[in-house]
Amino acid sequence: MAAQSTTVLFVHGSWHLPAHMAPLIDKTKEMGFSAVCPLLPSCDVSSSPNSDTTASDRQTAPAQGWSGLDEDVNAVQSEIQRLLAQDKNVLIAAHSYGGVPATSALLPAMTAFNRSKAGLKGGVLGFLLINGYLVAKGESVVDFLQNKLAPCAEVHVCVVTTSLPLSSLSEEDLTPLHLYNDLSESEQERHSSMLVPQPLTPFMSPIKNPGYLYVPSLYIDSTNDQTCPSETHKVMIESARKQGASIDVVEMDASHSPHLSKTEEVSKLMKGFVDRLVTQKAPLSPVRNRDPFDDT
């Protein structure tokens, strides 16, 4: 029942593409869920990237120019609105940087709780955050990281975009050490071949809407994450909880990408979370039962 009535909206991370989420998307569909994963505009550097194209081959800007956090948020928000127009229940599953546009896109009126109060069906049930970034309103990812990027990132200038700072992944030992350190060498190579550069603007843009305050979240905390260490996850989670967020945490012995290395385990956690949310007698209320429209 939960699977048949719920769509999982996946939001991929920095430098990644929807193709990186494919193993978890496939497992999600096997469980009976519907699943979608829009391409974030800030990662849209090629019309059709493929597995035999290296990251270094895609260092030029897209014809329409680089996009930022606002465009990423709009892309996620458009998918939420499309699904809610069909009265769907929605779980938003976000990986890494994807947690920023995912949580920013959720408005109070989109939650299952508030839609139920308004006599509407469907709504966003919650977030599954896979080593996802949780940043306070008015703060950027770079602010939170104290003016640093992930240890795997390099910053250079893309001359095609009038000297716009561009972030990418270093070509040497970055992939196995930071993103996919618990995958086989062949899988590391396959997934790293699809990585794309991304502008710095999404990391430097302040968060306008902390949507993680409006619905409950399940946070997968990888204890062997070499990109965003577990200690950093815990700081973000504690900060969000102090703001009033309802976040359950599951620790997993995995890299930054458990959706690739432990797909079965992640999918089971996701299904259990959805089952719990859907079988509530009423849609789960916002954090601390407060009015989600009250900004105080």
Side-chain angles (χ1 to χ4, degrees), residues 63-197:
Q64 71 275 20
W66 292 104
S67 300
L69 178 57
D70 285 346
E71 288 81 7
D72 287 351
V73 172
N74 289 341
V76 177
Q77 203 166 76
S78 293
E79 281 298 316
I80 296 174
Q81 291 169 335
R82 183 181 68 81
L83 294 170
L84 297 189
Q86 303 171 39
D87 295 333
K88 299 286 188 179
N89 287 327
V90 180
L91 176 75
I92 303 177
H95 173 234
S96 190
Y97 159 79
V100 177
T103 56
S104 298
L106 180 62
L107 301 176
M110 296 174 171
T111 70
F113 177 81
N114 283 311
R115 284 176 63 85
S116 177
K117 287 196 336 183
L120 300 172
K121 296 180 180 179
V124 175
L125 301 168
F127 289 107
L128 173 67
L129 298 167
I130 305 171
N131 301 316
Y133 280 93
L134 291 169
V135 182
K137 182 177 180 179
E139 187 177 49
S140 70
V141 173
V142 169
D143 290 335
F144 173 76
L145 295 175
Q146 298 180 337
N147 296 317
K148 299 177 182 178
L149 285 178
C152 55
E154 290 185 338
V155 177
H156 56 90
V157 172
C158 181
V159 294
V160 179
T161 57
T162 61
S163 301
L164 177 70
L166 184 68
S167 70
S168 66
L169 298 173
S170 59
E171 297 282 335
E172 299 175 2
D173 58 353
L174 169 92
T175 300
L177 289 179
H178 293 286
L179 292 177
Y180 315 125
N181 49 296
D182 56 352
L183 291 175
S184 67
E185 288 188 10
S186 62
E187 284 296 287
Q188 290 173 4
E189 182 177 351
R190 184 167 75 88
H191 290 294
S192 63
S193 72
M194 296 187 289
L195 295 170
V196 296

